[in-house]
């Protein structure tokens, strides 16, 4: 049974900031010094427009002092502007400088107090832009590898959303440029924050099969058509995860065993399988819908790549089967294409 959404804390979506906190503070400090420098320079160059009511002489220290009390609005009156030019400078230059400095100080002082509200506003802004994206639940070793592979395949970082309950992992994911959401993916509210209803694919890579089942159930409940791929730890849980709604269930242990067994036949076999699975290889496996010009032709006659099999309804047919001798509308072709093939030559699904 899924957990009660009412007990969840506000969910925050994050993206990598352009500046970290120390860079931001340093930039603000430099900006304050620049603004003070403008006011100080103007007062020094026009010091004849100032009058010291104490000794009648305006020294550099007097200018520094007058600039400080003017910017801070203290104004003791011991030094005053006496010419029109000095008064206009204070009005149209020093006053805006004063306002900017106070804005900087208030912004810095209340950053932590306003952070929560701003993050919720930013979360809503980020969510509005999430459409046709890929959600990765879990950013452990498997989830991190999946995100890295997506980026190597050319998927834009802004089109990837990583969800994990571990703040450190989310921070690590954000460093890659993707959107990170810190929260428990077994909650409907968390999946809603990831915009599951508008996602084009979901990957579940948690370290526990029970969590995977709950996440897949929730995701399938909220989006009945999105393709869901999930990893499994125990072989006996594969059917359970499929029944929960996963389209693809990947067992890393079994996959590793297959590669080891194939490697016994020669290193080139395992290398070829790894080549097909990685975007860094020379070739890659893709699936797409049959084009209008291919209907009626054999699978072996396609020109976009090397056809391996077709999916027709609920049946899978290899290139050697009779069904593959004549392609039909609605067939899904699985083919091998060159990694560097132009996009126009491959009709993606």
């Amino acid at each position: 049974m899924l957990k009660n959404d009412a007990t969840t804390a506000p969910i925050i979506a994050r993206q990598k900031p352009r500046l970290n906190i120390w860079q931001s503070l340093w930039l603000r400090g430099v900006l304050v010094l620049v603004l003070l420098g403008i006011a100080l320079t103007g007062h020094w160059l026009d010091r004849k427009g100032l009058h010291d009511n104490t000794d009648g002489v305006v020294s550099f220290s007097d200018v520094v002092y007058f600039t400080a009390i003017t910017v801070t609005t203290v104004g003791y009156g011991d030094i005053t502007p006496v010419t029109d030019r000095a008064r206009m400078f204070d009005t149209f230059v020093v006053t805006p400088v004063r306002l900017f400095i106070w804005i900087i100080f208030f912004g810095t002082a209340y950053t932590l107090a306003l952070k929560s509200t701003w993050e919720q506003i930013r979360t809503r802004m980020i969510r509005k832009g999430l459409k046709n994206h890929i959600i990765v639940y879990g950013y452990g070793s498997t989830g991190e590898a999946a995100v890295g592979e997506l980026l190597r395949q050319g998927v834009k970082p802004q089109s990837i959303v990583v969800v994990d309950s571990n703040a450190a992992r989310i921070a690590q994911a954000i460093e890659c440029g993707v959107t990170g959401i810190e929260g428990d993916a077994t909650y409907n509210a968390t999946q809603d924050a990831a915009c599951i209803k508008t996602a084009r694919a979901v990957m579940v890579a948690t370290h526990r099969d029970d969590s995977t089942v709950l996440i897949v159930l929730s995701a399938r409940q909220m989006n009945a058509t999105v393709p869901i791929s999930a990893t499994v730890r125990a072989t006996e849980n594969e059917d359970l995860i499929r029944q929960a709604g996963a389209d693809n269930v990947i067992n890393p242990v079994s996959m590793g065993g297959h590669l080891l067994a194939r490697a016994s036949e020669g290193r080139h076999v395992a290398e070829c399988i790894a080549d097909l699975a990685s975007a860094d290889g020379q070739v890659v496996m893709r699936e797409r819908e049959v084009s209008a010009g291919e209907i009626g032709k054999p699978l072996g006659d396609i020109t976009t790549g090397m056809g391996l099999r077709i999916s027709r309804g609920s049946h899978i047919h290899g290139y050697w089967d009779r069904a593959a001798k004549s392609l039909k509308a609605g067939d899904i072709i699985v083919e091998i294409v060159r990694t560097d093939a132009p996009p126009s030559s491959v009709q993606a699904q």
Side-chain angles (χ1 to χ4, degrees):
M1 187 173 182
L2 295 180
K3 301 178 182 178
N4 185 0
D5 291 334
T7 62
T8 60
I11 299 167
I12 302 299
R14 299 185 178 95
Q15 290 180 336
K16 182 179 181 180
R18 295 182 179 180
L19 299 174
N20 60 39
I21 183 63
W22 295 111
Q23 291 172 329
S24 178
L25 290 175
W26 181 84
L27 181 60
R28 294 181 187 186
V30 171
L31 184 57
V32 168
L33 291 177
V34 169
L35 293 173
L36 287 174
I38 292 173
L40 180 62
T41 301
H43 285 147
W44 175 250
L45 295 177
D46 192 34
R47 58 188 178 277
K48 293 182 179 180
L50 303 177
H51 178 69
D52 189 338
N53 295 319
T54 302
D55 57 11
V57 179
V58 179
S59 64
F60 180 75
S61 60
D62 291 330
V63 170
V64 174
Y65 164 76
F66 177 71
T67 300
I69 64 173
T70 303
V71 169
T72 56
T73 68
V74 176
Y76 293 114
D78 49 350
I79 301 177
T80 57
V82 294
T83 65
D84 290 340
R85 185 170 62 180
R87 291 170 179 169
M88 290 300 100
F89 179 79
D90 281 348
T91 300
F92 295 106
V93 177
V94 177
T95 298
V97 165
R98 179 191 306 124
L99 293 176
F100 278 118
I101 289 177
W102 278 110
I103 288 172
I104 293 172
F105 280 147
F106 278 121
T108 303
Y110 288 98
T111 292
L112 295 179
L114 298 175
K115 184 177 180 181
S116 177
T117 302
W118 165 245
E119 284 187 336
Q120 292 184 41
I121 294 174
R122 182 165 172 77
T123 294
R124 288 194 291 268
M125 295 171 60
I126 292 174
R127 291 181 62 188
K128 288 182 180 180
L130 288 179
K131 293 181 180 178
N132 198 34
H133 56 290
I134 299 174
I135 304 175
V136 180
Y137 292 116
Y139 199 69
S141 56
T142 304
E144 182 180 2
V147 170
E149 183 67 19
L150 289 172
L151 294 175
R152 285 191 293 272
Q153 290 177 359
V155 178
K156 295 181 179 180
Q158 298 83 359
S159 299
I160 302 175
V161 177
V162 172
V163 181
D164 199 296
S165 58
N166 187 294
R169 291 177 181 172
I170 289 298
Q172 184 180 358
I174 292 174
E175 287 298 317
C176 297
V178 305
T179 298
I181 295 179
E182 182 184 344
D184 188 345
T186 61
Y187 288 107
N188 284 355
T190 304
Q191 300 218 21
D192 184 57
C195 297
I196 179 70
K197 295 179 182 179
T198 58
R200 66 181 171 97
V202 169
M203 301 179 184
V204 185
T206 68
H207 62 283
R208 294 183 52 172
D209 288 349
D210 54 350
S211 297
T212 298
V213 171
L214 286 172
I215 293 171
V216 171
L217 278 171
S218 181
R220 182 55 70 207
Q221 178 187 20
M222 300 181 72
N223 190 328
T225 60
V226 65
I228 301 177
S229 301
T231 59
V232 62
R233 296 279 174 168
T235 304
E236 59 266 24
N237 292 329
E238 290 186 15
D239 289 339
L240 182 62
I241 294 176
R242 284 194 177 91
Q243 292 174 14
D247 300 287
N248 301 299
V249 179
I250 301 169
N251 190 325
V253 176
S254 297
M255 183 63 66
H258 293 328
L259 285 174
L260 284 174
R262 293 301 179 187
S264 66
E265 302 175 7
R267 68 182 182 89
H268 299 296
V269 175
E271 287 178 354
C272 183
I273 295 175
D275 193 3
L276 290 171
S278 173
D280 295 330
Q282 295 180 336
V283 293
V284 66
M285 294 185 67
R286 293 177 180 168
E287 67 175 58
R288 63 177 177 84
E289 188 172 348
V290 64
S291 66
E294 294 170 333
I295 296 176
K297 296 181 179 180
L299 178 61
D301 285 355
I302 64 174
T303 59
T304 55
M306 181 182 296
L308 296 179
R309 57 172 57 179
I310 60 172
S311 173
R312 182 175 296 163
S314 59
H315 299 284
I316 302 295
H317 304 283
Y319 64 86
W320 59 86
D321 292 331
R322 172 179 285 184
K325 302 301 180 182
S326 179
L327 296 172
K328 296 183 179 180
D331 284 351
I332 302 298
I333 298 175
V334 177
E335 61 182 351
I336 297 176
V337 299
R338 289 172 49 186
T339 306
D340 59 354
S344 59
S345 68
V346 179
Q347 184 178 359
Q349 184 184 7

